[in-house]
Structure formats: structure tokens, C-alpha cells
Amino acid sequence: MKRYMLALAGVILASVGGVAQAQDLAAGKAVFDKFNCASCHGADARTSVDPSYPVLAGQHEDYLIQALKSYKRGAAGMPATANVRKNPIMGAFAAQLSDQDIEHVAAWLAAQPSDLGVRK
């Protein structure tokens, strides 16, 4: 009986985690749409309007979080020692994002199909 209860608890926790992750991804897509990221990075986040703009789909989630927070610090005028990125367009967008928005959009972008990755 104890094993059954532990197994049942594990299944419930796994399903709740899956629902939470799906909600986070949906929230990330909403952030991508709200701030019109597609206008530069493409609707699929892979086909940018300018080849110098990065492909965001499939990028590492932690890298995207760090980059957006660096743009946000840069827009706030923090010193270069604070690991800032200076770009007037990205800084203006990042300044409007909450930390939760950044986490959600980074998770959504990381989950998108892409050619990015390590090839063997």
C-alpha cells in the first residue's frame, strides 16, 4: 500500500509539473507576441528580418535569461562592470519585462524547434 501511495504521489506531481510547464510556455509565447519580437526575429524566432539578428528559437534558456537581463541593466544605465548589453532597441524592450516575463519567454524560445545545437 505504501508503494502504491508513493507511486500515485509521483504521478500526480509529474502531471502538475507538466501543466505548470505548459502554462509557462504559453505565457512565454504571449510575451513574445505582446512585445512584437517577431518584427525583428521572425514569427518562428528563426527567420530574422536581418541576418545580423540572432536566431532565438532553440537557444539555451539560461543564455536567453542572462542576455535579456543584461539588456535590462544596460537600459537602466548601470556601469559596464554590471555585465550590461547596450542596444537601444533591445534595451527598451527588456526594460519593460519583469523577471517572470523573461523566464517565460526564454523557456518558450528554448522549446522551439531550431537548427541550433551541437552536431556530431
Side-chain angles (χ1 to χ4, degrees), residues 26-37:
K29 172 68 169 142
V31 170
F32 187 84
D33 292 340
K34 177 182 177 183
F35 290 96
N36 199 20
C37 303

Side-chain angles (χ1 to χ4, degrees), residues 93-119:
F93 282 112
Q96 300 175 64
L97 299 174
S98 69
D99 286 346
Q100 191 172 34
D101 287 340
I102 290 173
E103 290 176 15
H104 288 165
V105 77
W108 181 77
L109 288 166
Q112 299 312 298
S114 175
D115 292 335
L116 293 177
V118 178
R119 292 188 175 84

Side-chain angles (χ1 to χ4, degrees), residues 32-57:
F32 187 84
D33 292 340
K34 177 182 177 183
F35 290 96
N36 199 20
C37 303
S39 65
C40 293
H41 296 283
D44 59 1
R46 289 186 309 229
T47 50
S48 299
V49 297
D50 184 315
S52 67
Y53 298 161
V55 171
L56 300 179

Side-chain angles (χ1 to χ4, degrees), residues 1-99:
M1 184 68 167
K2 198 178 231 183
R3 286 185 187 169
Y4 174 75
M5 293 303 285
L6 285 174
L8 181 61
V11 169
I12 291 170
L13 287 174
S15 65
V16 168
V19 170
Q21 182 182 14
Q23 290 172 340
D24 289 350
L25 294 179
K29 172 68 169 142
V31 170
F32 187 84
D33 292 340
K34 177 182 177 183
F35 290 96
N36 199 20
C37 303
S39 65
C40 293
H41 296 283
D44 59 1
R46 289 186 309 229
T47 50
S48 299
V49 297
D50 184 315
S52 67
Y53 298 161
V55 171
L56 300 179
Q59 186 57 265
H60 294 280
E61 183 177 349
D62 57 345
Y63 171 78
L64 292 167
I65 291 170
Q66 185 274 331
L68 286 169
K69 288 184 177 183
S70 292
Y71 284 121
K72 193 173 182 175
R73 286 190 296 271
M78 297 190 79
T81 56
N83 187 17
V84 300
R85 288 187 178 199
K86 297 276 188 178
N87 180 291
I89 295 170
M90 282 303 302
F93 282 112
Q96 300 175 64
L97 299 174
S98 69
D99 286 346

